[in-house]
Amino acid sequence: IKRPDGTTLDRTGTLETDGVDGKMYYITVAGDLNQAGIYKLQAVVGLPTGTYHTNTVTFKVHCNLEGV
């Protein structure tokens, strides 16, 4: 995960099933998305046959409206 200020986070994903379907996920925790702005995400998978990278995706995090 690359934050809007350029800092990065390395997190461990969880396989959706046994991994054969190619699906995995990560549930964010407090502090992961601590800045408003555009984030970038890319998964890296290490297998005995090599290291593979997914496409990079972007998503926007908005400011908290509480107290506004």
Side-chain angles (χ1 to χ4, degrees):
I1 302 171
K2 188 172 187 178
R3 291 180 172 144
D5 70 356
T7 58
T8 59
L9 302 170
D10 289 332
R11 298 291 188 254
T12 300
T14 302
L15 294 176
E16 183 79 19
T17 58
D18 61 3
V20 175
D21 58 4
K23 296 179 182 179
M24 66 177 146
Y25 64 92
Y26 169 72
I27 298 173
T28 60
V29 297
D32 283 353
L33 307 177
N34 63 357
Q35 302 169 23
I38 303 296
Y39 283 71
K40 293 182 180 182
L41 174 70
Q42 181 179 45
V44 179
V45 179
L47 300 173
T49 56
T51 301
Y52 304 92
H53 297 76
T54 66
N55 292 335
T56 302
V57 296
T58 59
F59 60 96
K60 187 172 186 177
V61 173
H62 297 272
C63 294
N64 186 348
L65 295 178
E66 187 174 304
V68 175

Short mmCIF file of all heavy atoms in Angstrom, two decimals:
data_model
loop_
_atom_site.label_atom_id
_atom_site.label_comp_id
_atom_site.label_asym_id
_atom_site.label_seq_id
_atom_site.Cartn_x
_atom_site.Cartn_y
_atom_site.Cartn_z
N ILE A 1 0.86 -1.17 0.00
CA ILE A 1 0.00 0.00 0.00
C ILE A 1 0.90 1.23 0.00
O ILE A 1 1.77 1.35 0.85
CB ILE A 1 -0.92 0.03 1.24
CG1 ILE A 1 -1.79 -1.23 1.31
CG2 ILE A 1 -1.77 1.29 1.24
CD1 ILE A 1 -2.54 -1.37 2.62
N LYS A 2 0.69 2.12 -0.95
CA LYS A 2 1.44 3.37 -0.99
C LYS A 2 0.50 4.51 -0.65
O LYS A 2 -0.51 4.71 -1.31
CB LYS A 2 2.07 3.59 -2.37
CG LYS A 2 3.01 4.76 -2.41
CD LYS A 2 3.75 4.81 -3.74
CE LYS A 2 4.83 5.87 -3.73
NZ LYS A 2 5.56 5.87 -5.00
N ARG A 3 0.82 5.23 0.41
CA ARG A 3 -0.02 6.33 0.87
C ARG A 3 0.19 7.58 0.01
O ARG A 3 1.17 7.69 -0.72
CB ARG A 3 0.33 6.66 2.32
CG ARG A 3 -0.07 5.59 3.30
CD ARG A 3 0.32 6.01 4.69
NE ARG A 3 -0.21 5.12 5.70
CZ ARG A 3 0.44 4.80 6.81
NH1 ARG A 3 1.64 5.32 7.06
NH2 ARG A 3 -0.11 3.98 7.68
N PRO A 4 -0.72 8.55 0.16
CA PRO A 4 -0.59 9.79 -0.61
C PRO A 4 0.73 10.53 -0.39
O PRO A 4 1.23 11.18 -1.31
CB PRO A 4 -1.78 10.63 -0.12
CG PRO A 4 -2.78 9.64 0.33
CD PRO A 4 -1.98 8.51 0.91
N ASP A 5 1.34 10.41 0.80
CA ASP A 5 2.61 11.10 1.06
C ASP A 5 3.83 10.31 0.60
O ASP A 5 4.96 10.72 0.78
CB ASP A 5 2.73 11.46 2.54
CG ASP A 5 2.94 10.26 3.45
OD1 ASP A 5 2.93 9.09 2.97
OD2 ASP A 5 3.11 10.47 4.67
N GLY A 6 3.60 9.13 -0.02
CA GLY A 6 4.69 8.32 -0.55
C GLY A 6 5.20 7.25 0.38
O GLY A 6 5.99 6.40 -0.03
N THR A 7 4.78 7.25 1.64
CA THR A 7 5.19 6.18 2.55
C THR A 7 4.48 4.89 2.15
O THR A 7 3.40 4.92 1.55
CB THR A 7 4.87 6.52 4.02
OG1 THR A 7 3.47 6.76 4.16
CG2 THR A 7 5.66 7.73 4.49
N THR A 8 5.10 3.76 2.46
CA THR A 8 4.52 2.48 2.07
C THR A 8 4.29 1.59 3.28
O THR A 8 4.95 1.71 4.31
CB THR A 8 5.42 1.74 1.07
OG1 THR A 8 6.71 1.54 1.67
CG2 THR A 8 5.57 2.51 -0.22
N LEU A 9 3.34 0.69 3.11
CA LEU A 9 3.01 -0.31 4.12
C LEU A 9 3.11 -1.68 3.49
O LEU A 9 2.60 -1.89 2.39
CB LEU A 9 1.57 -0.13 4.62
CG LEU A 9 1.17 1.19 5.24
CD1 LEU A 9 -0.34 1.22 5.44
CD2 LEU A 9 1.88 1.36 6.56
N ASP A 10 3.75 -2.62 4.15
CA ASP A 10 3.76 -4.01 3.71
C ASP A 10 2.82 -4.77 4.62
O ASP A 10 2.96 -4.73 5.85
CB ASP A 10 5.16 -4.62 3.81
CG ASP A 10 6.12 -4.06 2.78
OD1 ASP A 10 5.66 -3.64 1.71
OD2 ASP A 10 7.32 -4.02 3.06
N ARG A 11 1.86 -5.43 4.04
CA ARG A 11 0.88 -6.20 4.79
C ARG A 11 0.76 -7.59 4.19
O ARG A 11 1.02 -7.79 3.00
CB ARG A 11 -0.50 -5.52 4.78
CG ARG A 11 -0.49 -4.13 5.43
CD ARG A 11 -0.26 -4.26 6.93
NE ARG A 11 -0.44 -3.00 7.63
CZ ARG A 11 0.55 -2.27 8.11
NH1 ARG A 11 1.81 -2.67 7.93
NH2 ARG A 11 0.32 -1.17 8.77
N THR A 12 0.34 -8.54 4.99
CA THR A 12 0.17 -9.91 4.53
C THR A 12 -1.29 -10.17 4.21
O THR A 12 -2.16 -9.94 5.05
CB THR A 12 0.65 -10.90 5.61
OG1 THR A 12 2.03 -10.64 5.88
CG2 THR A 12 0.49 -12.34 5.15
N GLY A 13 -1.55 -10.64 3.00
CA GLY A 13 -2.90 -10.97 2.57
C GLY A 13 -3.28 -12.38 3.01
O GLY A 13 -2.44 -13.16 3.47
N THR A 14 -4.55 -12.68 2.86
CA THR A 14 -5.09 -13.99 3.19
C THR A 14 -5.69 -14.60 1.94
O THR A 14 -6.39 -13.90 1.19
CB THR A 14 -6.18 -13.85 4.28
OG1 THR A 14 -5.61 -13.23 5.43
CG2 THR A 14 -6.76 -15.20 4.66
N LEU A 15 -5.43 -15.88 1.71
CA LEU A 15 -6.01 -16.54 0.54
C LEU A 15 -7.51 -16.68 0.72
O LEU A 15 -7.99 -17.01 1.81
CB LEU A 15 -5.38 -17.92 0.34
CG LEU A 15 -3.90 -17.93 -0.04
CD1 LEU A 15 -3.40 -19.37 -0.10
CD2 LEU A 15 -3.66 -17.21 -1.34
N GLU A 16 -8.25 -16.46 -0.36
CA GLU A 16 -9.71 -16.60 -0.35
C GLU A 16 -10.11 -18.07 -0.15
O GLU A 16 -11.01 -18.38 0.61
CB GLU A 16 -10.28 -16.07 -1.66
CG GLU A 16 -11.77 -16.09 -1.76
CD GLU A 16 -12.43 -14.93 -1.03
OE1 GLU A 16 -11.78 -13.92 -0.73
OE2 GLU A 16 -13.63 -15.05 -0.76
N THR A 17 -9.40 -18.96 -0.84
CA THR A 17 -9.65 -20.40 -0.71
C THR A 17 -8.30 -21.09 -0.51
O THR A 17 -7.59 -20.77 0.42
CB THR A 17 -10.40 -20.96 -1.94
OG1 THR A 17 -9.62 -20.69 -3.11
CG2 THR A 17 -11.78 -20.34 -2.10
N ASP A 18 -7.95 -21.97 -1.44
CA ASP A 18 -6.66 -22.65 -1.36
C ASP A 18 -5.59 -21.98 -2.22
O ASP A 18 -4.48 -22.47 -2.32
CB ASP A 18 -6.80 -24.12 -1.75
CG ASP A 18 -7.30 -24.32 -3.18
OD1 ASP A 18 -7.49 -23.31 -3.89
OD2 ASP A 18 -7.50 -25.47 -3.56
N GLY A 19 -5.94 -20.88 -2.85
CA GLY A 19 -5.00 -20.14 -3.67
C GLY A 19 -5.06 -20.47 -5.14
O GLY A 19 -4.58 -19.70 -5.97
N VAL A 20 -5.67 -21.58 -5.51
CA VAL A 20 -5.75 -21.98 -6.90
C VAL A 20 -6.58 -21.00 -7.71
O VAL A 20 -6.32 -20.76 -8.89
CB VAL A 20 -6.32 -23.42 -7.03
CG1 VAL A 20 -6.53 -23.81 -8.48
CG2 VAL A 20 -5.39 -24.40 -6.34
N ASP A 21 -7.58 -20.38 -7.08
CA ASP A 21 -8.43 -19.43 -7.80
C ASP A 21 -7.78 -18.05 -7.98
O ASP A 21 -8.30 -17.19 -8.65
CB ASP A 21 -9.78 -19.27 -7.10
CG ASP A 21 -9.66 -18.79 -5.66
OD1 ASP A 21 -8.53 -18.50 -5.20
OD2 ASP A 21 -10.69 -18.71 -4.97
N GLY A 22 -6.63 -17.84 -7.36
CA GLY A 22 -5.91 -16.59 -7.51
C GLY A 22 -6.47 -15.43 -6.70
O GLY A 22 -6.10 -14.29 -6.93
N LYS A 23 -7.35 -15.71 -5.75
CA LYS A 23 -7.98 -14.64 -4.98
C LYS A 23 -7.39 -14.55 -3.58
O LYS A 23 -7.19 -15.56 -2.91
CB LYS A 23 -9.48 -14.88 -4.88
CG LYS A 23 -10.18 -14.83 -6.21
CD LYS A 23 -11.66 -15.10 -6.04
CE LYS A 23 -12.37 -15.11 -7.38
NZ LYS A 23 -13.82 -15.39 -7.20
N MET A 24 -7.13 -13.32 -3.16
CA MET A 24 -6.69 -13.05 -1.80
C MET A 24 -7.26 -11.72 -1.35
O MET A 24 -7.79 -10.96 -2.16
CB MET A 24 -5.17 -13.05 -1.70
CG MET A 24 -4.49 -11.95 -2.43
SD MET A 24 -2.73 -12.03 -2.14
CE MET A 24 -2.14 -11.46 -3.69
N TYR A 25 -7.17 -11.46 -0.06
CA TYR A 25 -7.69 -10.20 0.46
C TYR A 25 -6.89 -9.76 1.66
O TYR A 25 -6.13 -10.53 2.25
CB TYR A 25 -9.19 -10.34 0.82
CG TYR A 25 -9.45 -11.31 1.94
CD1 TYR A 25 -9.52 -10.88 3.26
CD2 TYR A 25 -9.65 -12.67 1.69
CE1 TYR A 25 -9.76 -11.78 4.29
CE2 TYR A 25 -9.89 -13.56 2.71
CZ TYR A 25 -9.95 -13.11 4.01
OH TYR A 25 -10.18 -14.00 5.03
N TYR A 26 -7.07 -8.51 2.02
CA TYR A 26 -6.48 -7.94 3.22
C TYR A 26 -7.52 -7.00 3.83
O TYR A 26 -8.11 -6.19 3.11
CB TYR A 26 -5.19 -7.17 2.92
CG TYR A 26 -4.72 -6.37 4.11
CD1 TYR A 26 -4.18 -7.01 5.22
CD2 TYR A 26 -4.86 -4.99 4.14
CE1 TYR A 26 -3.78 -6.28 6.33
CE2 TYR A 26 -4.45 -4.26 5.25
CZ TYR A 26 -3.91 -4.92 6.34
OH TYR A 26 -3.53 -4.20 7.44
N ILE A 27 -7.76 -7.12 5.11
CA ILE A 27 -8.69 -6.24 5.82
C ILE A 27 -7.86 -5.19 6.53
O ILE A 27 -7.00 -5.52 7.36
CB ILE A 27 -9.56 -7.03 6.81
CG1 ILE A 27 -10.41 -8.07 6.05
CG2 ILE A 27 -10.44 -6.09 7.62
CD1 ILE A 27 -11.18 -9.01 6.93
N THR A 28 -8.10 -3.93 6.20
CA THR A 28 -7.32 -2.85 6.81
C THR A 28 -7.61 -2.76 8.31
O THR A 28 -8.67 -3.16 8.78
CB THR A 28 -7.64 -1.50 6.15
OG1 THR A 28 -9.02 -1.20 6.30
CG2 THR A 28 -7.25 -1.49 4.68
N VAL A 29 -6.64 -2.23 9.03
CA VAL A 29 -6.77 -2.01 10.46
C VAL A 29 -6.55 -0.52 10.74
O VAL A 29 -6.08 0.22 9.88
CB VAL A 29 -5.78 -2.87 11.28
CG1 VAL A 29 -6.05 -4.36 11.09
CG2 VAL A 29 -4.34 -2.55 10.90
N ALA A 30 -6.90 -0.10 11.94
CA ALA A 30 -6.73 1.30 12.33
C ALA A 30 -5.30 1.75 12.04
O ALA A 30 -4.34 1.06 12.37
CB ALA A 30 -7.05 1.48 13.80
N GLY A 31 -5.18 2.89 11.39
CA GLY A 31 -3.88 3.45 11.07
C GLY A 31 -3.40 3.17 9.66
O GLY A 31 -2.52 3.88 9.15
N ASP A 32 -3.95 2.15 9.00
CA ASP A 32 -3.52 1.86 7.62
C ASP A 32 -3.85 3.01 6.68
O ASP A 32 -3.03 3.41 5.87
CB ASP A 32 -4.19 0.58 7.10
CG ASP A 32 -3.58 -0.70 7.63
OD1 ASP A 32 -2.53 -0.64 8.31
OD2 ASP A 32 -4.16 -1.77 7.36
N LEU A 33 -5.08 3.49 6.77
CA LEU A 33 -5.56 4.53 5.85
C LEU A 33 -5.72 5.83 6.62
O LEU A 33 -6.80 6.36 6.79
CB LEU A 33 -6.88 4.10 5.21
CG LEU A 33 -6.88 2.72 4.54
CD1 LEU A 33 -8.26 2.37 4.02
CD2 LEU A 33 -5.83 2.64 3.45
N ASN A 34 -4.60 6.35 7.10
CA ASN A 34 -4.63 7.50 8.01
C ASN A 34 -4.46 8.86 7.32
O ASN A 34 -4.27 9.86 7.99
CB ASN A 34 -3.57 7.33 9.10
CG ASN A 34 -2.16 7.30 8.54
OD1 ASN A 34 -1.96 7.34 7.34
ND2 ASN A 34 -1.19 7.21 9.43
N GLN A 35 -4.51 8.88 6.00
CA GLN A 35 -4.39 10.13 5.25
C GLN A 35 -5.48 10.17 4.19
O GLN A 35 -5.78 9.15 3.57
CB GLN A 35 -3.03 10.21 4.55
CG GLN A 35 -1.85 10.12 5.46
CD GLN A 35 -0.55 9.94 4.67
OE1 GLN A 35 -0.46 10.28 3.50
NE2 GLN A 35 0.45 9.38 5.32
N ALA A 36 -6.05 11.34 3.97
CA ALA A 36 -6.97 11.51 2.86
C ALA A 36 -6.15 11.64 1.58
O ALA A 36 -5.05 12.19 1.59
CB ALA A 36 -7.82 12.76 3.06
N GLY A 37 -6.66 11.09 0.49
CA GLY A 37 -5.98 11.20 -0.78
C GLY A 37 -6.00 9.90 -1.56
O GLY A 37 -6.74 8.98 -1.25
N ILE A 38 -5.15 9.83 -2.57
CA ILE A 38 -5.08 8.69 -3.47
C ILE A 38 -4.04 7.69 -2.97
O ILE A 38 -2.88 8.03 -2.74
CB ILE A 38 -4.72 9.13 -4.91
CG1 ILE A 38 -5.71 10.16 -5.43
CG2 ILE A 38 -4.63 7.92 -5.84
CD1 ILE A 38 -7.12 9.67 -5.58
N TYR A 39 -4.48 6.46 -2.80
CA TYR A 39 -3.62 5.36 -2.40
C TYR A 39 -3.39 4.45 -3.60
O TYR A 39 -4.24 4.36 -4.49
CB TYR A 39 -4.29 4.53 -1.29
CG TYR A 39 -4.24 5.17 0.07
CD1 TYR A 39 -5.01 6.28 0.37
CD2 TYR A 39 -3.43 4.63 1.06
CE1 TYR A 39 -4.97 6.85 1.63
CE2 TYR A 39 -3.39 5.20 2.33
CZ TYR A 39 -4.16 6.30 2.60
OH TYR A 39 -4.12 6.87 3.85
N LYS A 40 -2.26 3.75 -3.60
CA LYS A 40 -1.97 2.75 -4.62
C LYS A 40 -1.76 1.41 -3.92
O LYS A 40 -1.20 1.36 -2.82
CB LYS A 40 -0.73 3.12 -5.43
CG LYS A 40 -0.92 4.36 -6.27
CD LYS A 40 0.31 4.65 -7.09
CE LYS A 40 0.09 5.92 -7.93
NZ LYS A 40 1.25 6.20 -8.76
N LEU A 41 -2.19 0.35 -4.59
CA LEU A 41 -2.11 -0.98 -4.01
C LEU A 41 -1.61 -1.96 -5.05
O LEU A 41 -2.06 -1.92 -6.21
CB LEU A 41 -3.49 -1.41 -3.51
CG LEU A 41 -3.65 -2.83 -3.00
CD1 LEU A 41 -2.92 -2.99 -1.68
CD2 LEU A 41 -5.12 -3.15 -2.84
N GLN A 42 -0.67 -2.82 -4.65
CA GLN A 42 -0.19 -3.88 -5.53
C GLN A 42 0.17 -5.07 -4.67
O GLN A 42 0.86 -4.93 -3.66
CB GLN A 42 1.02 -3.43 -6.33
CG GLN A 42 1.53 -4.49 -7.29
CD GLN A 42 2.72 -4.03 -8.09
OE1 GLN A 42 3.65 -3.44 -7.57
NE2 GLN A 42 2.68 -4.31 -9.39
N ALA A 43 -0.31 -6.23 -5.07
CA ALA A 43 0.04 -7.46 -4.35
C ALA A 43 1.28 -8.09 -4.98
O ALA A 43 1.48 -8.02 -6.19
CB ALA A 43 -1.12 -8.44 -4.37
N VAL A 44 2.09 -8.70 -4.14
CA VAL A 44 3.26 -9.44 -4.58
C VAL A 44 3.13 -10.85 -4.02
O VAL A 44 2.93 -11.02 -2.82
CB VAL A 44 4.57 -8.79 -4.08
CG1 VAL A 44 5.78 -9.59 -4.53
CG2 VAL A 44 4.65 -7.35 -4.55
N VAL A 45 3.25 -11.84 -4.89
CA VAL A 45 3.10 -13.23 -4.48
C VAL A 45 4.41 -13.96 -4.74
O VAL A 45 4.92 -13.94 -5.85
CB VAL A 45 1.95 -13.91 -5.26
CG1 VAL A 45 1.80 -15.36 -4.85
CG2 VAL A 45 0.64 -13.15 -5.05
N GLY A 46 4.92 -14.60 -3.70
CA GLY A 46 6.13 -15.40 -3.84
C GLY A 46 5.80 -16.87 -3.90
O GLY A 46 5.15 -17.40 -3.01
N LEU A 47 6.22 -17.52 -4.99
CA LEU A 47 6.01 -18.96 -5.18
C LEU A 47 7.35 -19.62 -5.48
O LEU A 47 8.31 -18.93 -5.83
CB LEU A 47 5.05 -19.20 -6.35
CG LEU A 47 3.65 -18.61 -6.23
CD1 LEU A 47 2.89 -18.78 -7.54
CD2 LEU A 47 2.90 -19.26 -5.09
N PRO A 48 7.42 -20.93 -5.37
CA PRO A 48 8.68 -21.60 -5.73
C PRO A 48 9.13 -21.31 -7.16
O PRO A 48 10.32 -21.35 -7.45
CB PRO A 48 8.35 -23.09 -5.55
CG PRO A 48 7.24 -23.12 -4.56
CD PRO A 48 6.43 -21.87 -4.84
N THR A 49 8.18 -21.00 -8.03
CA THR A 49 8.52 -20.74 -9.43
C THR A 49 8.90 -19.30 -9.71
O THR A 49 9.29 -18.97 -10.82
CB THR A 49 7.32 -21.11 -10.33
OG1 THR A 49 6.17 -20.37 -9.89
CG2 THR A 49 7.02 -22.59 -10.28
N GLY A 50 8.75 -18.42 -8.71
CA GLY A 50 9.13 -17.03 -8.92
C GLY A 50 8.28 -16.08 -8.10
O GLY A 50 7.42 -16.50 -7.32
N THR A 51 8.54 -14.79 -8.27
CA THR A 51 7.79 -13.74 -7.60
C THR A 51 6.94 -13.03 -8.64
O THR A 51 7.44 -12.65 -9.71
CB THR A 51 8.75 -12.74 -6.92
OG1 THR A 51 9.55 -13.46 -5.98
CG2 THR A 51 7.99 -11.66 -6.19
N TYR A 52 5.67 -12.83 -8.31
CA TYR A 52 4.71 -12.27 -9.26
C TYR A 52 4.03 -11.05 -8.65
O TYR A 52 3.75 -11.03 -7.46
CB TYR A 52 3.68 -13.32 -9.66
CG TYR A 52 4.32 -14.56 -10.21
CD1 TYR A 52 4.65 -15.63 -9.38
CD2 TYR A 52 4.66 -14.66 -11.55
CE1 TYR A 52 5.26 -16.78 -9.88
CE2 TYR A 52 5.27 -15.79 -12.07
CZ TYR A 52 5.58 -16.84 -11.22
OH TYR A 52 6.19 -17.96 -11.72
N HIS A 53 3.76 -10.05 -9.49
CA HIS A 53 3.12 -8.81 -9.06
C HIS A 53 1.78 -8.64 -9.77
O HIS A 53 1.68 -8.91 -10.97
CB HIS A 53 4.00 -7.60 -9.42
CG HIS A 53 5.32 -7.61 -8.73
ND1 HIS A 53 6.35 -8.42 -9.12
CD2 HIS A 53 5.77 -6.91 -7.67
CE1 HIS A 53 7.40 -8.21 -8.33
NE2 HIS A 53 7.06 -7.29 -7.44
N THR A 54 0.78 -8.17 -9.04
CA THR A 54 -0.51 -7.86 -9.66
C THR A 54 -0.43 -6.51 -10.34
O THR A 54 0.54 -5.77 -10.18
CB THR A 54 -1.63 -7.81 -8.61
OG1 THR A 54 -1.40 -6.70 -7.73
CG2 THR A 54 -1.73 -9.10 -7.82
N ASN A 55 -1.48 -6.16 -11.05
CA ASN A 55 -1.62 -4.80 -11.55
C ASN A 55 -1.71 -3.86 -10.36
O ASN A 55 -2.14 -4.25 -9.28
CB ASN A 55 -2.88 -4.65 -12.40
CG ASN A 55 -2.81 -5.41 -13.69
OD1 ASN A 55 -1.73 -5.69 -14.20
ND2 ASN A 55 -3.96 -5.77 -14.23
N THR A 56 -1.34 -2.61 -10.57
CA THR A 56 -1.49 -1.60 -9.52
C THR A 56 -2.87 -0.99 -9.64
O THR A 56 -3.32 -0.67 -10.74
CB THR A 56 -0.42 -0.50 -9.69
OG1 THR A 56 0.88 -1.12 -9.63
CG2 THR A 56 -0.53 0.54 -8.60
N VAL A 57 -3.55 -0.87 -8.51
CA VAL A 57 -4.86 -0.21 -8.48
C VAL A 57 -4.77 1.01 -7.58
O VAL A 57 -3.91 1.09 -6.70
CB VAL A 57 -5.98 -1.16 -8.00
CG1 VAL A 57 -6.17 -2.31 -8.95
CG2 VAL A 57 -5.70 -1.67 -6.60
N THR A 58 -5.64 1.97 -7.83
CA THR A 58 -5.69 3.17 -6.99
C THR A 58 -7.08 3.29 -6.39
O THR A 58 -8.07 2.81 -6.95
CB THR A 58 -5.37 4.44 -7.79
OG1 THR A 58 -6.31 4.59 -8.85
CG2 THR A 58 -3.96 4.39 -8.37
N PHE A 59 -7.13 3.91 -5.21
CA PHE A 59 -8.41 4.20 -4.59
C PHE A 59 -8.27 5.47 -3.76
O PHE A 59 -7.17 5.83 -3.34
CB PHE A 59 -8.92 3.03 -3.74
CG PHE A 59 -8.01 2.62 -2.61
CD1 PHE A 59 -8.22 3.09 -1.33
CD2 PHE A 59 -6.96 1.75 -2.84
CE1 PHE A 59 -7.39 2.71 -0.28
CE2 PHE A 59 -6.13 1.35 -1.80
CZ PHE A 59 -6.34 1.83 -0.52
N LYS A 60 -9.38 6.15 -3.56
CA LYS A 60 -9.36 7.42 -2.86
C LYS A 60 -9.94 7.27 -1.46
O LYS A 60 -10.99 6.65 -1.28
CB LYS A 60 -10.17 8.46 -3.63
CG LYS A 60 -10.06 9.86 -3.06
CD LYS A 60 -10.71 10.89 -3.96
CE LYS A 60 -10.48 12.29 -3.43
NZ LYS A 60 -11.03 13.30 -4.33
N VAL A 61 -9.26 7.86 -0.49
CA VAL A 61 -9.73 7.92 0.88
C VAL A 61 -10.13 9.36 1.16
O VAL A 61 -9.35 10.29 0.92
CB VAL A 61 -8.64 7.45 1.87
CG1 VAL A 61 -9.07 7.68 3.31
CG2 VAL A 61 -8.31 5.99 1.63
N HIS A 62 -11.35 9.56 1.62
CA HIS A 62 -11.87 10.89 1.91
C HIS A 62 -11.68 11.25 3.39
O HIS A 62 -11.52 10.37 4.23
CB HIS A 62 -13.36 10.96 1.55
CG HIS A 62 -13.61 10.74 0.10
ND1 HIS A 62 -13.60 11.76 -0.81
CD2 HIS A 62 -13.87 9.61 -0.59
CE1 HIS A 62 -13.85 11.27 -2.01
NE2 HIS A 62 -14.02 9.97 -1.90
N CYS A 63 -11.73 12.52 3.69
CA CYS A 63 -11.66 12.99 5.07
C CYS A 63 -12.87 12.50 5.85
O CYS A 63 -13.96 12.33 5.29
CB CYS A 63 -11.65 14.53 5.12
SG CYS A 63 -10.18 15.25 4.39
N ASN A 64 -12.69 12.32 7.14
CA ASN A 64 -13.79 11.96 8.03
C ASN A 64 -14.70 13.17 8.18
O ASN A 64 -14.25 14.28 8.46
CB ASN A 64 -13.22 11.55 9.39
CG ASN A 64 -14.26 11.02 10.33
OD1 ASN A 64 -15.45 11.14 10.07
ND2 ASN A 64 -13.82 10.40 11.39
N LEU A 65 -15.98 12.97 7.99
CA LEU A 65 -16.95 14.07 8.07
C LEU A 65 -17.43 14.31 9.49
O LEU A 65 -18.18 15.25 9.74
CB LEU A 65 -18.14 13.78 7.17
CG LEU A 65 -17.83 13.72 5.68
CD1 LEU A 65 -19.07 13.38 4.89
CD2 LEU A 65 -17.24 15.03 5.20
N GLU A 66 -17.01 13.49 10.43
CA GLU A 66 -17.44 13.65 11.81
C GLU A 66 -17.01 15.02 12.35
O GLU A 66 -15.87 15.43 12.19
CB GLU A 66 -16.81 12.57 12.69
CG GLU A 66 -17.30 12.55 14.10
CD GLU A 66 -16.75 11.37 14.88
OE1 GLU A 66 -16.95 10.23 14.41
OE2 GLU A 66 -16.14 11.61 15.91
N GLY A 67 -17.92 15.73 12.94
CA GLY A 67 -17.61 17.03 13.50
C GLY A 67 -17.65 18.18 12.51
O GLY A 67 -17.37 19.31 12.85
N VAL A 68 -17.99 17.88 11.25
CA VAL A 68 -18.03 18.93 10.23
C VAL A 68 -19.41 19.56 10.20
O VAL A 68 -20.40 18.96 10.36
CB VAL A 68 -17.69 18.38 8.83
CG1 VAL A 68 -17.85 19.43 7.77
CG2 VAL A 68 -16.29 17.83 8.85
#
